[in-house]
Each structure stands twice: as structure tokens, then as C-alpha cells.
Amino acid sequence: SIPCSWEELYPTHVPGSPELSASPMANLSEALLPDRKATWFEPRSAVRAAYINSVKSVFGTGLLALPSAILAVGAPAGCLLTALCGIWSIYTMQLLAWCVDAAVAAGVTPKSYGELCLHSLGRTGGLLSAGNMLVSQLACCATYLVFIGDNVGQLLGVPKERVMLCVTPFFVLLCWLRDLSMLEPTSAIGTAVLLLALLTVLGEGLASPHEAAPRLASFDPSAVAPFIGVGLFTFTGHDSTVAVVLSMGERKGEYSSILLALATAGVGVILAYALACAVLYGDETQGNILLSVDGGLAAGLKACMSVAVLFSLPIKMFPASQIVEEALFTHDTAAGEGAEEEGGGAAE
């Protein structure tokens, strides 16, 4: 038996906001698609979409930091750690998919990672998963703000801290949006710009390779822990695993083949790209490899990437803000409404 429900942990409605579903990730889907109910989770034949979403979760902004991490730890250890981080992340995504199958077989259809934890681990698991989601999304947004600060700061010749301070109020205003479907075009544009940026970095490196860095062949133990952080951030796709699996409907068993393709081809491509950039740019490799490229095209890409990342921040932040709003405001409002009803009954 299920010891408690998600609704008991997190009330479903925040005053002043539209009625939303029981879990933060379901709320996100309804905010993105306000005219349809939880479209991400309806059983559909979506194997192709599942491939695209899974690839996008791996080929993200984390890849831009991987060449510098390999240069810091050394190529031999970097190659090994990249493979381990990639395979471990993909294996744990497979574990989540098996858990979804087990839950569905038991008569429960979880709509998010947090809801899966709730049904599997009970109230404690639900609370821990909510806390994990909150910290994870906040850390992701902080990383994106640093990315914007680095790129715009280099373009304008100002400290990145100043850029981050200027951008933060605009980011906060964007987080008040309840209809995030307005931000959908920036997601598609951001994916296209990221692909163009990766190709530009590789092309510039091949056109004018820098002197190879001697430390590339060495090993620095102090760089192992930071590398693992970058590697896991690069390959993480766990926040969308439950939604992707359920969207495949009766063909969700094919999700294993998607992960197998990522483990064999995806990890290899990412490793080859990061290692090639570390070799081509040598000691000029920046923490964000995009900063190692100069020229008009590179400047345009940095600006476009920064804008796309800024407008994707509210989407990343939405699950965390939903948890905070429900925790801070719902119970107080419910108590106030109860007091008003009680007062009205006494007056009668």
C-alpha cells in the first residue's frame, strides 16, 4: 500500500496561479502547454521524440566545459572518467526506467521523478526528492547565470559579476511567467545555436591549432573531483527520464535501445569532441570552450547563446519555484480560509 499521497506533501494550488496538477513536473508540462493536460505523459508513439529528447539532455551546455576539465586532469584520466561518468549516468537512467515499469505494473503511474520516489520510498523519499529537485534546479540556474556572465562579460569587456547582477532581476521577472509556452521558440533556437557553436569551435581549432599543452599527458589528482562534477552535469538526463519513458506508451521497452545508443555512440562522440578541443586549443582552452574562440561569428554565437540560455532559465527554475510557493503560501492561505468560514458560521 502507498503510505501517503503526493497531494499530502504538496498541495496542488497556489493562490493567484492557475489550477495545476499534483506534481511539480506535471505543473511544468501544463505551463508549457496550457491548453492541453499533461501532454508529456499521454501514451503516444513517440520513439523518435524520445531519441531527440534523450540526445538533447546529453548534448548540452555541459559539453562546453568538458575540454577544460580534460586538460586539467590529463587526457588518460579524462578519457577514463568521461567514459565512467557517461556509462554510470546512462545506467542509472535505465534503473529509473525499470522503476517506472515496476510502478506501472503495480497500478501506479508516476508523472515525475519525485512522484516515483514518493510511491517507491514513501513520505521520506518524497521529501528528499523534493529537496533534491530544489537544490538541483537552483544549482543549474546558477551555472547558467555564470555562463551568461562569462560570455557577455567577454563581449562587453566588463566583469562577469556585474553582468550576472544586471541579468538577475530580469531572470526573476521571467520566473513570474505562468504561461511558459511563450518561451518555446527560444528552446529550439538555443539547440540550433549550440550545435552551430560546437561546430564553430571545432572548425576554428582545426583552422588555427594552438601549441599542444604538455600537461595534457600528465595526471593531476586534485582535478579528479571537479572533473566528476562536470562529467555528471554533462551527461545528466534523469529529470526527464520518467516523462520520456511514459510518453513512449506501449513502446517504452525500446527506451533501453535509446540508452544503449547513447552509451555506445553518444559517449564516444562527446569524448572525441572534448579531447579534440583540448588538443587543438592547448593551454588556451578556457573553462567554457566558447570563450577560446574570437571573431565576428564567435561573438554573435556567444550573444545568441546567452540570450537563449537566459530565456531557458525560467523553465529550469519552474519546478523549484513551484515547490517553494506551495511550501510557503498554501498552508497559510488554507488556514486563513478556514478561519473565515468559521467566523462566518459564528456570525450566522
Side-chain angles (χ1 to χ4, degrees):
S1 62
I2 301 173
C4 64
S5 65
W6 184 267
E7 291 84 350
E8 292 173 0
L9 289 175
Y10 306 108
T12 60
H13 182 59
V14 178
S17 66
E19 287 288 348
L20 296 174
S21 298
S23 75
M25 287 306 294
N27 290 344
L28 176 57
S29 71
E30 292 180 12
L32 284 168
L33 305 167
D35 297 328
R36 289 174 282 177
K37 292 294 184 180
T39 307
W40 288 1
F41 311 124
E42 294 174 4
R44 298 179 299 173
S45 177
V47 177
R48 182 180 301 175
Y51 267 103
I52 294 173
N53 289 329
S54 299
V55 170
K56 283 176 62 179
S57 69
V58 172
F59 288 86
T61 53
L63 179 54
L64 298 173
L66 203 55
S68 174
I70 289 180
L71 184 64
V73 77
C79 293
L80 177 61
L81 290 173
T82 300
L84 290 177
C85 288
I87 293 173
W88 174 255
S89 296
I90 292 170
Y91 172 67
T92 51
M93 290 166 67
Q94 178 64 78
L95 290 180
L96 281 177
W98 287 334
C99 289
V100 172
D101 289 339
V104 172
V108 176
T109 304
K111 296 179 180 178
S112 69
Y113 171 76
E115 201 164 315
L116 179 63
C117 290
L118 175 72
H119 293 309
S120 302
L121 305 175
R123 181 181 179 84
T124 301
L127 291 172
L128 289 175
S129 66
N132 176 68
M133 181 186 296
L134 180 63
V135 173
S136 174
Q137 301 307 111
L138 288 173
C140 181
C141 290
T143 302
Y144 280 16
L145 284 174
V146 172
F147 178 86
I148 294 172
D150 284 339
N151 285 278
V152 177
Q154 187 189 63
L155 287 175
L156 301 180
V158 297
K160 66 179 181 181
E161 293 81 6
R162 187 178 303 176
V163 175
M164 294 167 63
L165 287 174
C166 293
V167 167
T168 299
F170 186 56
F171 163 51
V172 173
L173 290 176
L174 285 175
C175 289
W176 285 83
L177 285 175
R178 287 306 184 193
D179 183 5
L180 299 184
S181 59
M182 292 185 294
L183 303 178
E184 283 185 39
T186 62
S187 177
I189 294 172
T191 301
V193 172
L194 175 62
L195 178 60
L196 183 57
L198 294 175
L199 294 176
T200 300
V201 169
L202 190 59
E204 289 287 335
L206 290 171
S208 55
H210 297 71
E211 185 177 350
R215 58 186 175 130
L216 190 61
S218 62
F219 171 62
D220 183 3
S222 65
V224 171
F227 185 96
I228 292 176
V230 172
L232 293 178
F233 178 75
T234 300
F235 290 102
T236 184
H238 303 76
D239 55 345
S240 61
T241 296
V242 175
V244 170
V245 171
L246 291 177
S247 72
M248 298 176 70
E250 295 180 356
R251 301 182 63 181
K252 61 181 180 291
E254 297 182 37
Y255 185 68
S256 297
S257 63
I258 296 177
L259 295 182
L260 181 61
L262 284 178
T264 53
V267 174
V269 169
I270 289 175
L271 175 57
Y273 178 87
L275 184 60
C277 288
V279 171
L280 292 172
Y281 286 92
D283 285 327
E284 300 298 321
T285 304
Q286 302 289 324
N288 171 8
I289 190 62
L290 196 56
L291 300 178
S292 303
V293 183
D294 298 318
L297 177 59
L301 288 173
K302 293 171 187 176
C304 292
M305 280 287 294
S306 298
V307 172
V309 167
L310 175 62
F311 280 97
S312 67
L313 276 169
I315 299 176
K316 291 290 185 181
M317 189 66 178
F318 193 90
S321 61
Q322 190 71 26
I323 291 173
V324 173
E325 289 174 3
E326 291 171 349
L328 292 180
F329 303 122
T330 306
H331 296 296
D332 293 339
T333 304
E337 292 176 352
E340 289 180 3
E341 293 178 0
E342 186 174 335
E348 291 177 1

